[in-house]
Amino acid sequence: MNPREPSCEEVIERLFDYLDRELDHRQAADIERHLSRCRDCFTRAEFEKRLRARVEAAGTVKAPTRLRHRIRSLLDQFDD
C-alpha cells in the first residue's frame, strides 16, 4: 500500500513537531517525503531551521556591559 502524502497544510501544521523530532518514524518519513517534493514547504522548513540556529547562537552572546547596566538601572527603577 502506498502511503498518502500529507498536504502542505498538514506539513506546516506538524512542522515544529517534526523539527523537534517529536513525530514517530512513519510521520517523520511522510513529512520528509513531502519536503523532498514540495519547494514551498522545504523552503519554510529550512527557514525555521536557520531561525532556530540563530536564536540558539544568540543565546550564547553576552550583552555588552553598558547595555547590562542600562537594563539593570531600568529594572531597579521599576522595583522602587
Side-chain angles (χ1 to χ4, degrees):
M1 180 193 262
N2 199 7
R4 181 186 75 80
E5 184 174 309
S7 68
C8 291
E9 283 182 358
E10 292 169 324
V11 169
I12 297 305
E13 188 175 296
R14 297 188 299 178
L15 184 59
F16 293 121
D17 293 334
Y18 169 76
L19 294 174
D20 292 337
R21 296 186 175 135
E22 295 178 353
L23 300 177
D24 64 37
H25 179 71
R26 183 193 57 78
Q27 292 172 321
D30 289 347
I31 289 180
E32 287 168 7
R33 191 170 32 261
H34 180 91
L35 293 176
S36 72
R37 295 181 177 130
C38 179
R39 184 169 177 87
D40 289 339
C41 290
F42 175 81
T43 300
R44 173 70 183 265
E46 287 301 305
F47 171 81
E48 294 296 343
K49 286 180 193 177
R50 281 186 256 130
L51 178 60
R52 286 172 177 229
R54 285 203 167 191
V55 168
E56 184 178 336
T60 61
V61 175
K62 190 172 182 177
T65 303
R66 186 173 173 200
L67 175 60
R68 289 196 318 270
H69 288 306
R70 283 184 57 209
I71 292 172
R72 174 56 49 207
S73 175
L74 289 170
L75 290 174
D76 289 344
Q77 289 176 10
F78 284 110
D79 285 343
D80 292 339

